Amino acid sequence: MLENVSYRYKIPVALTLAILLTEFAVTAVLIALALSDARRNVESGARNLANVTALSVRDSMMRDDLFRVFEVIRAPVAAKEPDNPLKELIVFDSSGRVYAATDPKYYATLSQVATLAPSIGAGVRYVRAMPQSFYFSFPSVLASDNIVAAQAVLAEDGSPLGVVALTYDTKKLRDGILTLLLRMVALNVLSLVVLLPIGWWWGNRMATPLHRLSSAMARVHKDELEELKQEVSATGRDEIGALSSSFREMLDELGEKRQLERDMVVAERLAAVGRVAAGIAHEINNPLGGLINAVDTLVKHGVPDGLTSRTLGLLERGLAQIRATVGALLLEARLDSPAVQPADWADLEILTHAQLASKHIELRWCVPEHEVPLPSQLVRQLVLNLLLNAIKAAEVGGTVECLAEPRESGLLVRVSNTGEHIPDEVVNHLFEPYSPNQKSVGVRSYGLGLWVSYQIVTQLNGTISVSSQPGETIFEVVLPMRTGDAA
């Protein structure tokens, strides 16, 4: 049964029991010491009083002065303190008969010792048999018998003249012990009132880290590892601190293992998507090449008017864009396409015009007005994906901003939009193709677009990051630029 009880309760209860047992043991020891001291004090007092009385009544007994003997033995009883347990003094003659007593009505003169209490008779017989000895009988405090002490009255030549017997009231001694016991109980109760809450608090403080550690271990495969590390915060060099430290190290290693497993899953998923995409891309490449050749032939050998020429140019760039997309899916895109021209930025603005107009979105457009030494097809596809994603996420009447600015570190492309932000649990999986964590959230949904963008950035040795706060989401890309013309 006890093994099923939490240490949050066992440790405080154990400390409480230890305190109680300690109090009881201390009380028992003190009571035993008090009894021992009481017995020693009574025996010492009885020995002194019996010796003094025996000397005081010796001459009177030799002269048979009963009244003088009575006066001698009555004085100690009459002068005693109220809490003194001394009860009676009795003087016996050499024949064992009562000679004088402090209570002559109860102990009548010439009464035989056999008619008195057995404890007194035992003392008188013992001393008569061994006159040089001192007799002392100390019954249990709970007994009703009196304490009895006896000593012989010896003449100057050592011959026995009689016996002095003393009785002490056990009840008074018991009352004194009981008073001491009550005081100790009161003191113990007071100390328990103080110590028990402290013991319970201290025990609970000791057990709480163990409970947290046990609870955290039970939830390792259910809750976030960082939350569990925050719960197990015990430090120090004791056993609990060492266990907590080892558990946190285990969580770190488990987190690394889980991250490695996720990376492996992502890698396997990417490989599967790559294989599918490669198959599709190879099927698209052939007819796509024919379309591009047809448009090129029409441009070179036809006689189109101005509007047709502009349309054919847009169509040619669009087909080239499709080829670049297919190349991104193949992860084999060529980096030798022409550099980005102002016309490419204008095409992007034209391609997104319809989507912007349908949602009444304001476009803030700031792009370079000169050539940028980066592959135009890949940059167009990258920026187009980010723009379409931003337009889709922006609310009706919202704002989309596209900033492209050459810097020393490379071309900075920042695409932002107002509207619903991306949840934290989705941000870490944005660039995975069709990740289970990329379920539609509000107006947002994610497919291959961001994954293709990530592949393009990777091919260009750039970086892509995302920050999303309520009301604004920003995608930021930095692409290192070539130092010369398109190669």
Side-chain angles (χ1 to χ4, degrees), residues 18-32 184 188:
I19 292 172
L20 289 173
L21 291 176
T22 301
E23 293 285 354
F24 291 149
V26 170
T27 300
V29 169
L30 291 178
I31 292 298
M184 293 186 63
N188 288 340

Side-chain angles (χ1 to χ4, degrees), residues 321-393:
Q321 186 67 56
I322 294 174
R323 172 178 286 179
T325 301
V326 172
L329 292 175
L330 285 170
L331 304 180
E332 297 174 354
R334 294 173 58 86
L335 303 180
D336 57 355
S337 64
V340 180
Q341 303 294 332
D344 293 307
W345 299 109
D347 287 347
L348 290 173
E349 190 173 9
I350 293 172
L351 289 172
T352 58
H353 178 74
Q355 288 88 340
L356 291 166
S358 65
K359 296 182 70 174
H360 306 286
I361 293 176
E362 175 189 357
L363 176 63
R364 297 177 182 174
W365 190 255
C366 182
V367 296
E369 297 180 356
H370 51 79
E371 180 180 296
V372 177
L374 284 169
S376 61
Q377 293 178 351
L378 295 180
V379 173
R380 278 163 52 95
Q381 182 64 44
L382 168 65
V383 178
L384 180 61
N385 285 352
L386 295 179
L387 281 172
L388 293 177
N389 185 69
I391 294 170
K392 186 176 182 179

Side-chain angles (χ1 to χ4, degrees), residues 59-205:
D59 294 339
S60 300
M61 290 183 69
M62 292 179 65
R63 295 193 303 269
D64 196 20
D65 190 350
L66 178 62
F67 182 76
R68 178 58 184 167
V69 172
F70 177 76
E71 288 293 329
V72 169
I73 63 175
R74 189 174 65 88
V77 176
K80 70 175 182 176
E81 298 291 336
D83 57 347
N84 191 328
L86 179 62
K87 188 175 182 181
E88 301 287 349
L89 266 77
I90 309 168
V91 178
F92 295 88
D93 60 18
S94 58
S95 301
R97 294 175 299 182
V98 175
Y99 186 80
T102 53
D103 187 1
K105 293 182 180 179
Y106 189 79
Y107 301 100
T109 303
L110 301 180
S111 297
Q112 294 292 334
V113 70
T115 62
L116 304 181
S119 57
I120 299 176
V124 172
R125 288 191 295 272
Y126 179 86
V127 172
R128 289 181 65 192
M130 294 183 289
Q132 302 298 327
S133 62
F134 175 77
Y135 175 84
F136 185 77
S137 173
F138 190 92
S140 170
V141 176
L142 300 178
S144 58
D145 292 340
N146 291 325
I147 300 170
V148 176
Q151 180 175 325
V153 180
L154 301 177
E156 292 183 359
D157 58 0
S159 60
L161 299 176
V163 176
V164 175
L166 296 83
T167 63
Y168 289 85
D169 191 351
T170 308
K171 183 177 181 301
K172 283 192 175 182
L173 190 62
R174 182 167 56 244
D175 291 343
I177 298 297
L178 181 60
T179 301
L180 175 62
L181 179 62
L182 291 177
R183 290 177 181 176
M184 293 186 63
V185 168
L187 181 61
N188 288 340
V189 170
L190 181 61
S191 62
L192 288 176
V193 169
V194 176
L195 293 177
L196 286 182
I198 295 176
W200 187 270
W201 170 81
W202 185 255
N204 191 60
R205 182 183 178 187

Side-chain angles (χ1 to χ4, degrees), residues 127-326:
V127 172
R128 289 181 65 192
M130 294 183 289
Q132 302 298 327
S133 62
F134 175 77
Y135 175 84
F136 185 77
S137 173
F138 190 92
S140 170
V141 176
L142 300 178
S144 58
D145 292 340
N146 291 325
I147 300 170
V148 176
Q151 180 175 325
V153 180
L154 301 177
E156 292 183 359
D157 58 0
S159 60
L161 299 176
V163 176
V164 175
L166 296 83
T167 63
Y168 289 85
D169 191 351
T170 308
K171 183 177 181 301
K172 283 192 175 182
L173 190 62
R174 182 167 56 244
D175 291 343
I177 298 297
L178 181 60
T179 301
L180 175 62
L181 179 62
L182 291 177
R183 290 177 181 176
M184 293 186 63
V185 168
L187 181 61
N188 288 340
V189 170
L190 181 61
S191 62
L192 288 176
V193 169
V194 176
L195 293 177
L196 286 182
I198 295 176
W200 187 270
W201 170 81
W202 185 255
N204 191 60
R205 182 183 178 187
M206 293 174 60
T208 296
L210 282 176
H211 173 70
R212 289 179 179 173
L213 180 60
S214 174
S215 176
M217 293 179 68
R219 294 184 286 117
V220 165
H221 299 289
K222 300 177 183 178
D223 295 349
E224 291 293 330
L225 300 183
E226 287 300 323
E227 294 181 3
L228 297 180
K229 285 180 64 177
Q230 295 297 325
E231 290 185 17
V232 182
S233 57
T235 57
R237 298 182 180 178
D238 58 3
E239 287 79 0
I240 296 177
L243 282 174
S244 300
S245 178
S246 299
F247 181 71
R248 289 192 294 271
E249 292 176 1
M250 184 194 74
L251 291 181
D252 291 336
E253 295 175 358
L254 182 60
E256 294 175 0
K257 179 182 177 183
R258 287 184 179 179
Q259 184 60 43
L260 180 60
E261 291 175 349
R262 285 195 292 266
D263 293 343
M264 292 176 62
V265 171
V266 170
E268 292 175 359
R269 187 181 297 126
L270 290 178
V273 171
R275 289 192 294 270
V276 173
I280 296 174
H282 281 298
E283 297 298 326
I284 294 175
N285 265 341
N286 290 333
L288 183 61
L291 290 174
I292 293 175
N293 289 334
V295 172
D296 184 64
T297 300
L298 182 59
V299 170
K300 290 180 179 180
H301 301 288
V303 187
D305 56 22
L307 179 59
T308 302
S309 296
R310 289 194 299 272
T311 302
L312 287 174
L314 181 60
L315 181 59
E316 184 178 17
R317 288 189 292 271
L319 291 173
Q321 186 67 56
I322 294 174
R323 172 178 286 179
T325 301
V326 172

